[in-house]
Amino acid sequence: MAKIANSNLISYSPDLKIVDCTMRDGGLVNNFRFSDEFVRDLYNTCIKSGIDYMEFGYKASTDIFDENDFGKWKFCKDDDIRAIVGDNNTDLKISVMADVGRTNFQRDIIPKNESPIDLIRVATYITTIPSAIEIIEDAKAKGYEVSCNIMAVSKVNNEELFNGLNEIANSSTDFIYIVDSFGSFYPEQIARFTDKYVELGNKYNKKIGIHAHNNQQLAFANTITAMMHDAKMLDSTISGMGRGAGNCYTESLLGFLRNPKYKLIPVMDFVQKHIVKLKEEGNIWGYDIPYLLTGILNTHPAPAIKFIKDGRTDYSKYYHELLDNLL
């Protein structure tokens, strides 16, 4: 099918897939302390709304992270997932994220025929690609679909990035993701990146995905821009729930796409029942000036998170502090 960029946006691409990351990215807001009711309702919402993948959380190693400091979805044990989904006799696929250096993949990623998980998403920096490939090949050999999400690419020069991408493209991964870790990209940059990724993906038979952050209120725009340039895996979270500025809204994406399989009403019902309550309980995420400034300056959102946690409103002083740290 031709790129949607060249169409009238009335048509749709039937091979697009939506990956709901509410629990994984959103878990960074509340240390993954979601109730079973929340998780079960989100699972059913994803099914009813036609979402293609639901990401439960991380496969973090208990050798590195204390289980007492986090909810169980930091670790995504197979039995905990199965307690929610049973045999998952639905069209919805289950995914988890494996961070390079933070997961014991040999031990904790069991063979696919023993697990309710369908997709292992490997998160890596450009400097750890050899380790990422080790996880990719292990997961693929165990029977999973696999993606590779190269983070913080806005900090990587083009030559280094595309050398790394070629290494990933030669691996067994099924999907390669553009990740705007700092929410610093603009749509025209995403268009250029997506064209490059898709060119490589076509050469090696890999589909391309997009994971956008909302520091500059561009997560939705960047996601649909990537889609128009043939990205096929679109990440989103309900109400944009995610660390700091959050992510592309699932509601916005479902409302925009013309695919009749996607239904918006179940998501709105979930927002009414659960997201409003989460915010009332003091969980904070979403666009704010401190995140805008880290996005503009292409820097990690940690200073913005601290600024908001400290209750500061001296935005100009904070901006100068960010500038000083760049020198």
Side-chain angles (χ1 to χ4, degrees):
M1 182 176 182
K3 292 180 182 179
I4 298 178
N6 297 324
S7 78
N8 58 14
L9 294 181
I10 297 301
S11 58
Y12 71 92
S13 178
D15 54 348
L16 284 176
K17 306 294 181 186
I18 296 179
V19 182
D20 183 82
C21 308
T22 304
M23 282 177 57
R24 202 274 304 163
D25 226 317
L28 298 169
V29 174
N30 67 349
N31 283 336
F32 303 91
R33 299 189 188 280
F34 296 107
S35 68
D36 285 353
E37 180 186 24
F38 179 102
V39 178
R40 193 168 286 109
D41 284 353
L42 180 58
Y43 169 69
N44 287 322
T45 296
C46 287
I47 294 169
K48 292 175 184 176
S49 62
I51 286 168
D52 302 282
Y53 292 82
M54 175 179 168
E55 188 171 47
F56 268 67
Y58 286 96
K59 271 283 187 185
S61 172
T62 54
D63 301 327
I64 300 172
F65 298 96
D66 188 336
E67 290 185 81
N68 294 318
D69 293 338
F70 301 93
K72 58 190 173 184
W73 306 111
K74 176 78 170 179
F75 308 98
C76 282
K77 296 178 181 178
D78 291 81
D79 288 345
D80 289 333
I81 296 175
R82 200 178 294 281
I84 300 294
V85 309
D87 293 330
N88 189 32
N89 294 317
T90 75
D91 292 332
L92 177 68
K93 293 184 177 182
I94 305 302
S95 74
V96 298
M97 181 163 278
D99 257 345
V100 170
R102 297 181 177 183
T103 183
N104 188 330
F105 63 93
Q106 296 97 334
R107 180 191 67 197
D108 294 335
I109 298 177
I110 63 177
K112 170 67 188 82
N113 60 11
E114 301 172 18
S115 172
I117 298 167
D118 300 287
L119 169 64
I120 303 294
R121 307 218 304 168
V122 180
T124 182
Y125 292 102
I126 196 74
T127 55
T128 55
I129 281 179
S131 296
I133 291 173
E134 187 179 12
I135 302 176
I136 289 167
E137 299 303 337
D138 179 83
K140 196 66 180 176
K142 290 173 177 173
Y144 294 94
E145 291 181 275
V146 187
S147 79
C148 186
N149 297 30
I150 306 177
M151 300 179 290
V153 294
S154 59
K155 290 287 192 180
V156 181
N157 69 60
N158 284 345
E159 182 180 2
E160 187 177 14
L161 173 60
F162 289 107
N163 285 340
L165 282 173
N166 270 287
E167 291 185 47
I168 295 297
N170 276 290
S171 77
S172 297
T173 193
D174 299 286
F175 315 115
I176 303 173
Y177 263 81
I178 303 163
V179 183
D180 184 11
S181 297
F182 303 147
S184 63
F185 284 137
Y186 297 96
E188 58 268 29
Q189 293 173 295
I190 289 293
R192 290 196 298 269
F193 267 87
T194 307
D195 287 343
K196 291 288 188 180
Y197 275 62
V198 167
E199 181 182 359
L200 191 67
N202 288 341
K203 181 178 178 181
Y204 291 97
N205 195 29
K206 314 294 183 185
K207 290 185 178 178
I208 304 305
I210 174 74
H211 183 89
H213 290 131
N214 206 35
N215 298 62
Q216 300 187 81
Q217 298 197 92
L218 290 172
F220 174 58
N222 285 338
T223 298
I224 63 174
T225 297
M227 178 198 72
M228 290 173 180
H229 288 259
D230 269 351
K232 299 301 185 185
M233 303 286 284
L234 311 179
D235 284 14
S236 64
T237 64
I238 293 182
S239 293
M241 187 179 184
R243 183 181 65 177
N247 303 85
C248 175
Y249 277 53
T250 298
E251 300 95 298
S252 299
L253 199 52
L254 292 180
F256 175 82
L257 296 175
R258 300 301 191 263
N259 191 333
K261 70 171 281 196
Y262 295 127
K263 313 295 182 186
L264 183 56
I265 288 176
V267 175
M268 293 190 293
D269 290 340
F270 182 87
V271 171
Q272 178 182 345
K273 181 176 179 180
H274 289 287
I275 300 297
V276 172
K277 181 180 177 183
L278 276 177
K279 291 188 172 182
E280 289 174 345
E281 291 171 348
N283 295 288
I284 299 171
W285 71 88
Y287 168 81
D288 204 341
I289 288 175
Y291 298 121
L292 168 67
L293 297 177
T294 59
I296 290 171
L297 296 175
N298 188 21
T299 190
H300 197 282
I305 294 171
K306 185 177 187 304
F307 180 94
I308 292 171
K309 185 177 180 181
D310 291 345
R312 291 175 59 183
T313 56
D314 51 336
Y315 300 116
S316 296
K317 181 180 178 182
Y318 163 74
Y319 184 47
H320 286 294
E321 290 170 359
L322 290 176
L323 289 171
D324 287 344
N325 287 334
L326 291 177
L327 297 177

